[in-house]
Amino acid sequence: MARTEGRQHSDAARSHQTRERILRAAVDCLIEDGYAATSIGAIQARAEVSRGALLHQYPNKAHLLVDAVRHLTDQQMREAADNAEMKATEEDWTDTLWRSFATPLFGAVLELWVAARTDTELREALLRHQRELHDNIHATIVSNVEGAPEDIDMVFEMTLTYFRGLALTTILSTNHRDKLLADWRRTVRTMLTAATSQ
């Protein structure tokens, strides 16, 4: 009995390792090659697993990418937590938030967002996991801002939307990125100062 349980545990561990390897390969494909080129074959080659092993874990691309969303969100949350640890040395929490967008992972998310426009299953997975990521970042960053006024939630949402747009535009050009970031930091300080003085 113990030998059977040990074999089952070993099989489960190998299956988990294979699955994580495939998911890492899928995210890397999205980042480097884009959604259109992220085929089952490309993921298989990058993960260095057999076709049978991949199809055993994921029978189709849709199933694989839905799980890749979860894997990608986990990575983003780890990065957000790491960034928050540096917050103590930063003058502005917006720096911490911006680092969540100034990362190759955002490129993978963007690829999935575009694909989700016509893929209901993928869109539902993205909405669910991005909501989880949003709440995690909010709790990690904004709730720790000392003396934050009630308007902090509104300013956070505005900043999030602004940074998404800025991260998107910097794919084509970074010419005005630093100025736009500095302008927004000043805007945030003005809004929060006005809210505090009311």
Side-chain angles (χ1 to χ4, degrees):
M1 177 68 75
R3 185 177 298 175
T4 301
E5 289 177 354
R7 189 183 307 116
Q8 289 174 340
H9 178 75
S10 177
D11 289 346
R14 275 198 300 273
S15 179
H16 176 75
Q17 289 172 355
T18 299
R19 188 163 58 251
E20 290 299 299
R21 201 157 144 192
I22 292 168
L23 293 174
R24 283 197 302 272
V27 170
D28 288 344
C29 276
L30 286 167
I31 291 173
E32 296 178 23
D33 305 321
Y35 178 82
T38 302
S39 64
I40 289 290
I43 295 169
Q44 176 199 337
R46 190 181 285 266
E48 298 182 335
V49 298
S50 70
R51 184 81 167 186
L54 188 148
L55 292 177
H56 175 72
Q57 298 287 342
Y58 298 104
N60 55 58
K61 182 179 176 180
H63 185 193
L64 169 53
L65 289 181
V66 165
D67 209 17
V69 170
R70 186 270 308 164
H71 184 79
L72 184 56
T73 303
D74 288 345
Q75 284 185 268
Q76 288 181 291
M77 286 198 287
R78 282 194 295 272
E79 285 199 358
D82 290 342
N83 287 337
E85 289 179 4
M86 296 184 282
K87 183 168 71 72
T89 62
E90 300 287 346
E91 292 182 359
D92 202 324
W93 57 267
T94 57
D95 292 333
T96 305
L97 187 57
W98 171 247
R99 280 195 295 269
S100 298
F101 290 90
T103 165
L105 292 180
F106 179 76
V109 172
L110 183 60
E111 292 287 337
L112 290 171
W113 280 354
V114 173
R117 186 179 70 84
T118 54
D119 186 325
T120 303
E121 187 179 9
L122 185 58
R123 183 165 62 252
E124 289 176 354
L126 271 170
L127 284 171
R128 182 171 63 255
H129 289 290
Q130 287 296 302
R131 192 177 299 116
E132 180 184 1
L133 177 64
H134 170 282
D135 293 345
N136 182 274
I137 291 176
H138 183 279
T140 302
I141 297 176
V142 179
S143 64
N144 293 323
V145 176
E146 293 184 9
E150 290 183 6
D151 285 355
I152 188 67
D153 288 337
M154 178 193 70
V155 175
F156 172 76
E157 296 299 336
M158 291 173 67
T159 302
L160 205 56
T161 301
Y162 184 87
F163 283 173
R164 281 192 186 117
L166 184 57
L168 180 58
T169 59
T170 55
I171 290 174
L172 296 179
S173 172
T174 60
N175 288 346
H176 305 293
R177 181 193 59 198
D178 293 343
K179 181 182 184 305
L180 289 168
L181 281 169
D183 289 345
W184 185 252
R185 289 189 192 101
R186 283 193 295 273
T187 300
V188 167
R189 280 195 292 270
T190 300
M191 286 190 292
L192 293 180
T193 300
T196 303
S197 62
Q198 288 178 357

